Amino acid sequence: MGYSSNNLAIMFSIFKFIQPVTKQTLVASVFAILIGGLIAGCSTPPTRGTGYRSGSGAAPTNYSSPIASFNAVSWQALPGWQVDDLSQAWPAWLRSCEALRKRNSEINWRQVCSQVSNVSAKDSQAIRRYFEDNFQAYEIRNSAGSEMGLITGYYEPVMNGSQTRTGAFTIPLYAYPNVWRQARPNPGSSRAELMSSGILKGSEIAWVQDPVAAAFMQIQGSGKIRLQDGRVLRLGYAGTNEQPFKSFAQWLLDRKEITRSEATMQGISQWAKRNPDRVNEMLNANPRFVFFKELPENVSTDLGPTGALNVPLTSERSIAIDLQAMPLGAPVFLASTKPLSDQPLQKLVMAQDTGKAIVGGVRADYYWGSGDAAGEMAGRMKQNGKMWVLLPR
């Protein structure tokens, strides 16, 4: 399959897609959100989409969009392509196919997705042949012509908690206020105003221990609560007070409370432990407030939160991207490094999420998974990287 216009340009249209229940990517870059003072991407559903006009004949050698250019390359140009265990990426691609089959798209996803049943899910070499036979790899360059871009990370928080307030669990996570369901304010009250107004009384959905961890869950837009009886309560994004996001990391930096090297989730949590009386002051610096909803019990706790593609994210195989750069659901080969190291991170991933903080042609937010270990990696990830999008021939 080819993609054509007068100048082989990407043609843009608006996709109709189901609103996600996460970070959209709340599904946002942890570091970019904390440091940059950007609007929280993961807690805000995306509002834009892209499409590609299809044509006939072979795939073109190059084309471009307003924020990126694509250049066809050989598979040998992808560092680590031959050694990546693609069986680990295959379940994520199958989930992309589940969604892409249902969409009206200018890309012929249905044809390539119809062939997945012929591929052994455990045979990495067979999976590699499937992609090489059916897809063309394109190197992505940003609008300035550089192939290097920013790769950040996000994750799904997991906390101990209770569905009732106890002596140990005193910090509430809230459902969308009933009073706002009939007359939704735009904007609503700020965080500080909400916490003192009484509007949220009765909307508590769960209680946790740590106010800073609860705030990070709001930034991510989803999370899991381990209850005392062993059950896991899964929470997803339900809306916001429509206030702008302001980084409390930047608030701390402006006041010289932390250094730039400490402007991570870990550094902010340590500051909060040293300054318990000032935690609310810090959190109120961000007027934005995110509400949650309890997800159905049939949602597997082994899967990640639902991203903008409306499929569960897969640990270390899903990314959030800018929809102006590439289509949602597309396979992407990522070449970067792991946080705070030179250790290569070269993997096939799926563009299954978006976020307002994820902006640029060569830009991705890498989903590390659930829990503290994933949070450690996500909170420290701010790497350079390259990306190749794989499109059907």
Side-chain angles (χ1 to χ4, degrees):
M1 167 182 175
Y3 309 89
S4 64
S5 70
N6 290 340
N7 60 356
L8 293 176
I10 295 177
M11 304 300 293
F12 285 86
S13 63
I14 301 299
F15 278 146
K16 295 180 179 178
F17 57 88
I18 301 172
Q19 271 199 351
V21 297
T22 72
K23 144 196 170 203
Q24 306 301 304
T25 218
L26 297 142
V27 310
S29 148
V30 174
F31 193 93
I33 289 177
L34 295 178
I35 305 305
L38 297 172
I39 295 174
C42 293
S43 58
T44 305
T47 58
R48 63 194 177 202
T50 65
Y52 298 77
R53 185 179 302 279
S54 63
S56 59
T61 58
N62 61 79
Y63 50 95
S64 63
S65 77
I67 65 169
S69 62
F70 291 27
N71 296 287
V73 296
S74 69
W75 295 100
Q76 288 72 27
L78 280 56
W81 170 254
Q82 295 298 328
V83 298
D84 185 21
D85 184 356
L86 297 186
S87 65
Q88 296 179 6
W90 192 245
W93 172 237
L94 295 181
R95 293 187 187 103
S96 275
C97 275
E98 288 176 9
L100 293 172
R101 283 190 180 109
K102 302 173 185 177
R103 289 169 175 260
N104 293 322
S105 173
E106 295 170 337
I107 301 177
N108 194 354
W109 296 117
R110 288 189 180 95
Q111 180 176 344
V112 291
C113 287
S114 69
Q115 300 179 44
V116 298
S117 60
N118 300 323
V119 181
S120 171
K122 297 181 180 180
D123 188 338
S124 184
Q125 291 303 320
I127 295 169
R128 203 176 329 274
R129 287 194 299 272
Y130 161 82
F131 282 106
E132 291 177 354
D133 290 344
N134 294 284
F135 291 78
Q136 172 65 56
Y138 291 90
E139 180 188 61
I140 306 173
R141 291 178 177 262
N142 61 32
S143 56
S146 174
E147 74 276 17
M148 298 297 297
L150 175 64
I151 312 299
T152 51
Y154 68 108
Y155 78 114
E156 183 182 40
V158 179
M159 291 183 280
N160 294 326
S162 171
Q163 289 182 291
T164 59
R165 180 169 180 157
T166 69
F169 303 115
T170 61
I171 307 301
L173 299 170
Y174 291 99
Y176 197 82
N178 289 328
V179 69
W180 284 4
R181 294 186 185 278
Q182 298 299 322
R184 179 178 175 180
N186 190 15
S189 303
S190 68
R191 181 190 189 279
E193 293 166 340
L194 284 171
M195 300 304 286
S196 62
S197 67
I199 291 176
L200 300 181
K201 186 174 178 59
S203 298
E204 298 89 350
I205 195 171
W207 303 80
V208 297
Q209 291 176 303
D210 185 348
V212 177
F216 284 135
M217 184 177 282
Q218 288 198 9
I219 290 174
Q220 298 303 300
S222 66
K224 297 174 185 173
I225 308 298
R226 290 187 295 248
L227 303 176
Q228 291 172 300
D229 61 6
R231 291 182 298 125
V232 175
L233 181 68
R234 187 160 219 166
L235 302 183
Y237 171 87
T240 76
N241 58 348
E242 304 298 336
Q243 289 277 350
F245 178 88
K246 294 186 179 179
S247 166
F248 42 77
Q250 190 62 54
W251 184 86
L252 291 170
L253 287 168
D254 290 344
R255 286 155 183 78
K256 295 180 170 48
E257 297 285 341
I258 59 174
T259 65
R260 289 218 165 259
S261 64
E262 296 172 320
T264 64
M265 290 186 296
Q266 296 78 12
I268 292 169
S269 295
Q270 291 168 5
W271 178 91
K273 290 176 182 177
R274 298 192 302 268
N275 299 273
D277 295 338
R278 299 184 62 196
V279 168
N280 272 333
E281 180 187 5
M282 176 191 72
L283 297 181
N284 285 338
N286 176 23
R288 191 176 187 84
F289 199 84
V290 173
F291 304 103
F292 297 99
K293 62 183 176 184
E294 184 176 352
L295 298 182
E297 292 184 2
N298 62 356
V299 175
S300 173
T301 57
D302 295 330
L303 296 176
T306 301
L309 189 61
N310 203 39
V311 300
L313 304 179
T314 302
S315 299
E316 300 188 48
R317 293 292 177 171
S318 295
I319 59 171
I321 49 89
D322 187 336
L323 289 179
Q324 291 195 74
M326 69 185 73
L328 194 63
V332 176
F333 194 77
L334 176 68
S336 184
T337 53
K338 294 184 177 180
L340 303 178
S341 79
D342 294 326
Q343 184 178 353
L345 193 161
Q346 298 169 340
K347 289 187 175 184
L348 179 65
V349 294
M350 306 301 155
Q352 295 174 329
D353 208 358
T354 63
K356 283 191 175 179
I358 314 306
V359 178
V362 188
R363 179 72 175 93
D365 210 16
Y366 183 81
Y367 176 65
W368 279 99
S370 301
D372 293 344
E376 285 282 331
M377 298 298 283
R380 301 181 187 280
M381 190 170 190
K382 188 172 182 284
Q383 316 296 109
N384 291 324
K386 298 181 180 181
M387 298 166 61
W388 294 260
V389 65
L390 313 186
L391 296 175
R393 290 185 182 277

